[in-house]
Amino acid sequence: MGTVYLTGAGPGDIELLTLKAYRLVQEADVIVYDRLANPDILKEAKSGCEFIYVGKADSHHSLPQEEINELLYQLSLKYEKVVRLKGGDPLVFGRGGEEALHLKKMGVKFEFIPGITSAIAVPEYAGIPVTHRGVTVSFRVVTGHEAPYKKRSQIPWENFKSDDTIIFLMGLHNLDQITKKLIEIGKPKDFPIAVISRGTRSDEKTVIGTLENIWERAKDLPTPALIVVGEVVNLKKDLNWFEK
Ligand code: SAH
């Protein structure tokens, strides 16, 4: 029986892969990957390595999670090294924990290989530090997938009154509602916000605005995209380095 490596592929730029992930990709007998993992990484695999796409587009699962769990188990019976390659870090909204729990239940060995999460690296490529002395001492990473006005929202919106930088993943389609909710809890209408599309890739694009106008400006950006809310957004004008 083989081992399943729940591996972070980093945010996009292939050079942001860890050395450990790089080695495992080269040694893998099979690589199970999703949409956010840069497909160029697969070129590093050995000849004869099997590739299986389980394409999750943002959070819309094209293969149900249970089937991915089961697939990993079946592959571990057949192969020595199974690499499950996920965008960013496997445990930041990556469902790597669920896959590991299933493997554990089935008695399969697994390892987590951390990856550079988009939540920090994408703002960084855009010239936005998630913390900055004198501006903010903390940041939080929140799912933007849950509609803010859902009755039993699990998101503690009241906590967002603090000065934390807030990074929403999977939130572009809810951007309008997210900004309205933030204004509702007391953030100023002209509070800075950025939407960063296809971060760390050659076609990265950032749109900056206020809580009031960002939806109009950013709604048509291509995915994947994330949202950064906070005064740190103002640093981009001095720290921009990657985007032309
Ligand atoms: N495990 C991943 C996140 C999975 S959730 C990680 O650690 O990065 C998927 C969301 O991540 C997307 O909807 C988007 O909000 C964000 N994302 C991932 N890659 C991105 C990129 N290159 N640019 C912008 N946002 C990205």
Side-chain angles (χ1 to χ4, degrees):
M1 189 181 270
T3 302
V4 178
Y5 299 90
L6 299 151
T7 307
D13 180 344
I14 191 166
E15 288 190 297
L16 295 178
L17 200 62
T18 64
L19 288 175
K20 194 164 188 178
Y22 183 56
R23 174 174 63 77
L24 286 164
V25 164
Q26 289 174 320
E27 293 172 359
D29 301 307
V30 56
I31 300 176
V32 181
Y33 67 105
D34 60 32
R35 195 185 70 118
L36 288 176
N38 185 338
D40 283 346
I41 295 171
L42 304 178
K43 292 181 189 154
E44 307 298 328
K46 67 183 182 194
S47 70
C49 177
E50 188 184 343
F51 301 125
I52 303 177
Y53 180 69
V54 289
K56 292 184 182 180
D58 286 319
S59 56
H60 310 291
H61 310 167
S62 55
L63 198 63
Q65 188 61 48
E66 294 68 34
E67 285 178 33
I68 297 176
N69 295 350
E70 188 54 25
L71 175 69
L72 293 174
Y73 167 62
Q74 293 298 337
L75 291 170
S76 77
L77 301 176
K78 188 170 162 200
Y79 291 115
E80 204 59 41
K81 282 192 180 166
V82 179
V83 168
R84 171 67 174 115
L85 198 61
K86 291 164 172 288
D89 181 90
L91 301 186
V92 178
F93 299 121
R95 307 187 74 166
E98 290 170 52
E99 292 170 10
L101 284 171
H102 183 72
L103 294 168
K104 161 118 183 152
K105 194 174 88 189
M106 304 309 282
V108 178
K109 272 192 293 178
F110 66 87
E111 290 185 21
F112 291 127
I113 316 298
I116 296 183
T117 180
S118 64
I120 298 170
V122 166
E124 192 162 339
Y125 265 52
I128 301 171
V130 295
T131 68
H132 192 79
R133 197 151 63 100
V135 180
T136 180
V137 294
S138 58
F139 64 91
R140 48 174 91 218
V141 181
V142 183
T143 172
H145 183 55
E146 189 183 278
Y149 293 99
K150 205 179 99 182
K151 269 234 174 70
R152 254 173 281 130
S153 174
Q154 288 186 48
I155 299 174
W157 290 97
E158 284 300 308
N159 295 354
F160 297 174
K161 285 180 175 159
S162 71
D163 292 332
D164 299 355
T165 302
I166 315 170
I167 299 131
F168 290 97
L169 301 186
M170 305 174 285
L172 189 59
H173 60 291
N174 280 328
L175 178 60
D176 190 32
Q177 287 199 41
I178 288 169
T179 51
K180 286 199 173 101
K181 189 79 187 180
L182 291 170
I183 292 169
E184 200 175 288
I185 64 159
K187 295 250 185 233
K189 285 183 179 160
D190 61 355
F191 202 67
I193 178 168
V195 178
I196 310 161
S197 158
R198 303 188 56 79
T200 81
R201 303 171 198 220
S202 54
D203 55 347
E204 171 177 317
K205 188 169 186 235
T206 302
V207 171
I208 291 201
T210 65
L211 290 180
E212 201 169 30
N213 67 22
I214 193 74
W215 166 244
E216 265 312 314
R217 292 183 183 189
K219 64 177 193 287
D220 296 326
L221 281 175
T223 58
L226 60 74
I227 303 163
V228 186
V229 181
E231 305 276 3
V232 285
V233 168
N234 295 331
L235 289 158
K236 181 176 172 64
K237 58 182 183 307
D238 295 317
L239 299 182
N240 190 45
W241 64 277
F242 178 69
E243 290 170 29
K244 301 288 165 341

